[in-house]
Amino acid sequence: MSLYRLETERVIGEIRKRNAGVVGLQFPEGLKMRAVELAEQIESETGATAVISADPCFGACDVSDRKMRGMVDLIVHYGHTPLPLDYEVPVIFIEAASSVEVGEVIREAADRLSGHRRIGIATTAQHLHLLDQARSLLEERGFEVVTGEGVNTARGQVLGCNFSAIRGTDADAYLFLGSGNFHPLGIKLFTGREVVVADPYHGEVRDIEEFADRVLRVRFARISRASDASRWGVVVSSKAGQMRFELALMVKKKLEEAGREALILLAENISPAALLPFRELEAFVVTACPRIAIDDSQLYDRPLLNPSELEIVLGERSWDDYTLDEIIHG
């Protein structure tokens, strides 16, 4: 059985209803192995031509509408929920809900959370339909369970750049349902509370403390190294969902007022190779996806900071008030 519900019948129905002759297909990396199979089924059952995006896809902020404009009649974007953006091509979002069993890891997580009373739960798009089950299992153990209403996200949903759904929940501890470390790291940094990860894909339950400590040590080292930099690059993404040009202008002004030089760099995909030619610049501030500086830190030969980290360099924020950067659309 597939781990994800790709709603192929719905997709085929929409293509027929819209009489789309050319259909763009876009997948996050974890779903790209299904691309050929889905494209062949769509072409076979609708007569439409499928165009598969082979570029990396990082979220609903990264839809291929501008690249596919004039080429396709419709884009089917898998694995994410929509953002309040004006897409240049009609887009259908398929959440790719997970079919994996979660009961066992949630029960194990409940054991790990014993000693707490009020538990906040959060997850990503693939597991939103499982939050009611998670709530019921926790309530059976006597916990009070809370989920927050996010800004441009579903209740209980966190993104890599948007943790608004956990604000105001005032929980004693948090349960994150899903895989990976970045989302629970964000919950940890925004709340300061214990965060337990229930990962149904690997069948494991873990806390995030050791990972968070390791990340913070790396970030402290990058921030310390950047403190002596006099020439900075302020990096702006050309992706519509990540472009924060006004913020970049503000960051440039802050740096210059602090007696440092700053130039704005525009890039679609921000990578070590993209920044390598600018050898005169000693450090960078990324105004695009907050994960770039955190996830890929070790790949860059110079410090790469988020705007909130620059505030520490400039003395506007204390290290004890460290937080992740967010992009809240709308």
Side-chain angles (χ1 to χ4, degrees), residues 23-24 41 58 67 100 102 106 135 137 156 162 243 254 305:
V23 179
Q41 185 173 354
F58 301 103
K67 290 181 181 178
V100 70
V102 299
I106 292 173
R135 173 188 291 275
L137 290 170
N162 182 340
M243 181 185 288
K254 279 185 178 184
L305 306 187

Side-chain angles (χ1 to χ4, degrees), residues 152-196:
N152 299 317
T153 61
R155 176 171 286 276
Q157 180 186 11
V158 289
L159 308 178
C161 61
N162 182 340
F163 292 88
S164 58
I166 55 123
R167 296 189 191 281
T169 50
D170 192 29
D172 303 325
Y174 290 84
L175 170 66
F176 174 76
L177 177 59
S179 61
N181 288 319
F182 190 86
H183 295 90
L185 170 68
I187 298 171
K188 171 68 180 178
L189 294 179
F190 277 110
T191 65
R193 305 294 171 86
E194 180 180 357
V195 180
V196 171

Side-chain angles (χ1 to χ4, degrees), residues 3 30 36 72 76 81-82 143 153 164 212 227 242 252-253 328:
L3 290 177
V36 171
V72 304
V76 184
T81 53
F143 295 105
T153 61
S164 58
S227 295
Q242 296 183 22
K252 175 177 166 65
K253 182 179 179 182
I328 306 294

Side-chain angles (χ1 to χ4, degrees), residues 29-44:
E29 295 308 303
L31 288 176
K32 273 202 172 91
M33 70 284 293
R34 301 291 303 279
V36 171
E37 168 197 342
L38 287 167
E40 289 176 343
Q41 185 173 354
I42 286 169
E43 291 194 342
S44 173

Side-chain angles (χ1 to χ4, degrees), residues 5 13 15 40 55 65 120 152 167 220 234 237 245 250 298:
R5 303 171 192 167
I15 293 170
E40 289 176 343
D55 288 328
D65 55 320
N152 299 317
R167 296 189 191 281
F220 180 77
V234 183
S237 173
F245 185 58
M250 183 176 71
Q298 73 281 5

Side-chain angles (χ1 to χ4, degrees), residues 6-18 23-25 38 42 46 74 76-78 92-94:
L6 300 182
E7 302 183 53
T8 309
E9 290 186 7
R10 175 192 162 198
V11 169
I12 288 171
E14 287 286 346
I15 293 170
R16 288 172 175 163
K17 183 172 72 175
R18 297 167 186 251
V23 179
L25 303 178
L38 287 167
I42 286 169
T46 69
L74 175 70
V76 184
H77 181 99
Y78 289 89
I92 299 172
F93 288 86
I94 304 296

Side-chain angles (χ1 to χ4, degrees), residues 275-308:
L275 301 184
L276 189 61
F278 308 106
R279 302 302 310 178
E280 298 90 343
L281 302 178
E282 301 164 87
F284 300 91
V285 181
V286 178
T287 63
C289 175
R291 296 190 64 164
I292 295 170
I294 306 295
D295 285 352
D296 300 333
S297 177
Q298 73 281 5
L299 302 179
Y300 291 85
D301 63 346
R302 285 157 288 172
L304 194 70
L305 306 187
N306 283 323
S308 57

